[in-house]
Amino acid sequence: MSKGKVTVLGINGHIGHHAAKAFHEAGFTVSGFGRSNRQPIAGVTFIQGDAGSLADLRAAIADAEIVVNALNLPYDKWDKGRAEAQLATVITAMGDSGKTMLYPGNVYNYAATDRRMAPSTTQHPQTPRGAIRVRQEDMLKSASKAGKFQTIILRAGDFYAPGNVGDWYDQAMMMEIKKGKVYHMADLKVGHAWAYLPDLGRAFAVLAEKRGELSAFENFHFAGHYATHGALMDAIVAASPTPLKVAPLPWIFLQAMGLANGVIREVVKMRYLWNNSMELVDPRLDAMLGPDFGTPFAVAVAETVKPYLAQRAAA
């Protein structure tokens, strides 16, 4: 018997794809909404539609008890109220349904001086992008406090998983793997919060199963893998059957690219996230997930870099 009906908005994105897989494997009936079915998942029904269409969104979530809002605009299209407008359309589609919305949060809401961020930590965004995220979460809080629907935010660090395209492994750390070189993003002693997407997807499913025990608006922090850049490099090198050269990422190269590329320009503005140790903590969520919930760091990194190492071997 199904545990409930779930619609994943943004099925083609990193979070949406892994959330859909996790919900299906956990015993939910899952549908995925997107413009195209780029990554079909066995057992998941695809719904074609436009995220900008209120009618399409309403139709997609009509039968769902749970909505995973994994929609996200291109990185350089968040400004001018566009990110808030996209979320407002989803909120309107949810209406006074009483459904549960699961929403992925990130660390942008916090300042560079925040070192250990719990759900109770006051949010002081460092950048305009962070201020956008705070406003979006406030929109969800207002709707949920008004009794329209339940919101469960699950905040996590940078995503990674095997086969991802366009993430930090793909675009930065492993970009010259064919030459036997890997890049670290910042000082090797600085810590960074990472979220292995198969684990994060399963965490969403656990929270959905427990939604009846939760309040109208909840904010959880997924600890994931908190590791120094040096520890990450060690894990990548250990996973490689041949020696690798480790070097610092040439940020000046990205800065130059940003002069002509809006996405890269916005990425460079968030460099503070790499230069400062910012850890997500949440004992309450840890207890809900249980001991030994996540994939061990070394295993997760090895699985993620396996395709890149295969590219090198074939070069």
Side-chain angles (χ1 to χ4, degrees):
M1 178 179 292
S2 171
K3 293 181 180 179
K5 294 182 178 180
V6 180
T7 295
V8 178
L9 304 178
I11 187 68
N12 291 313
H14 293 155
I15 297 178
H17 182 76
H18 284 276
K21 289 178 65 175
F23 272 99
H24 174 65
E25 292 168 1
F28 289 86
T29 300
V30 184
S31 297
F33 176 83
R35 288 183 179 274
S36 63
N37 195 15
R38 292 204 309 266
Q39 302 181 79
I41 302 171
V44 174
T45 301
F46 176 69
I47 303 171
Q48 186 175 29
D50 181 354
S53 167
L54 179 58
D56 285 359
L57 288 172
R58 280 176 169 160
I61 69 175
D63 296 331
E65 302 153 52
I66 300 161
V67 176
V68 180
N69 184 6
L71 295 172
N72 201 8
L73 290 171
Y75 209 65
D76 59 339
K77 300 292 191 294
W78 289 27
D79 61 349
K80 302 177 182 177
R82 288 177 286 190
E84 294 93 326
Q86 183 186 68
L87 180 57
T89 304
V90 178
I91 290 173
T92 301
M94 294 283 289
D96 300 327
S97 62
K99 300 177 188 290
T100 296
M101 181 193 290
L102 293 166
Y103 187 76
N106 59 32
V107 298
Y108 296 1
N109 303 50
Y110 298 97
T113 52
D114 292 321
R115 291 290 173 262
R116 285 174 57 83
M117 299 159 291
S120 60
T121 302
T122 302
Q123 297 182 1
H124 294 296
Q126 182 83 12
T127 64
R129 185 174 298 276
I132 290 170
R133 295 297 303 208
V134 170
R135 288 195 294 271
Q136 288 181 306
E137 292 184 18
D138 285 344
M139 291 166 65
L140 292 170
K141 181 183 292 186
S142 295
S144 294
K145 294 295 184 181
K148 293 179 178 296
F149 52 85
Q150 181 185 45
T151 296
I152 302 173
I153 294 173
L154 182 57
R155 195 177 314 283
D158 275 304
F159 312 134
Y160 71 111
N164 273 8
V165 175
D167 68 3
W168 288 106
Y169 279 76
D170 179 46
Q171 298 293 304
M173 294 188 297
M174 309 296 289
M175 64 180 177
E176 291 196 325
I177 188 61
K178 291 181 180 179
K179 298 179 181 178
K181 182 182 290 187
V182 292
Y183 291 109
H184 55 92
M185 304 295 293
D187 188 290
L188 293 173
K189 296 180 181 179
V190 173
H192 192 74
W194 292 95
Y196 188 54
L197 283 170
D199 293 343
L200 184 62
R202 291 191 299 117
F204 273 115
V206 169
L207 289 174
E209 291 180 359
K210 298 179 180 293
R211 64 191 184 280
E213 306 167 18
L214 303 176
S215 61
F217 181 83
E218 296 277 5
N219 174 28
F220 291 99
H221 285 191
F222 182 72
H225 296 130
Y226 180 72
T228 65
H229 299 297
L232 175 56
M233 292 297 105
D234 289 344
I236 292 174
V237 169
S240 176
T242 56
L244 297 174
K245 180 180 178 181
V246 175
L249 183 73
W251 281 92
I252 191 168
F253 175 66
L254 293 183
Q255 290 169 344
M257 289 177 60
L259 296 175
N261 185 311
V263 173
I264 298 297
R265 183 167 59 250
E266 293 303 314
V267 163
V268 172
K269 291 179 182 177
M270 305 304 289
R271 186 179 178 182
Y272 78 95
L273 295 171
W274 301 101
N275 291 334
N276 294 278
S277 297
M278 301 173 68
E279 181 181 8
L280 291 167
V281 296
D282 190 346
R284 180 186 176 207
L285 178 61
D286 292 344
M288 293 171 68
L289 298 179
D292 303 319
F293 173 81
T295 304
F297 180 61
V299 174
V301 172
E303 286 299 309
T304 300
V305 301
K306 186 182 297 183
Y308 299 102
L309 298 175
Q311 290 175 18
R312 186 193 178 198

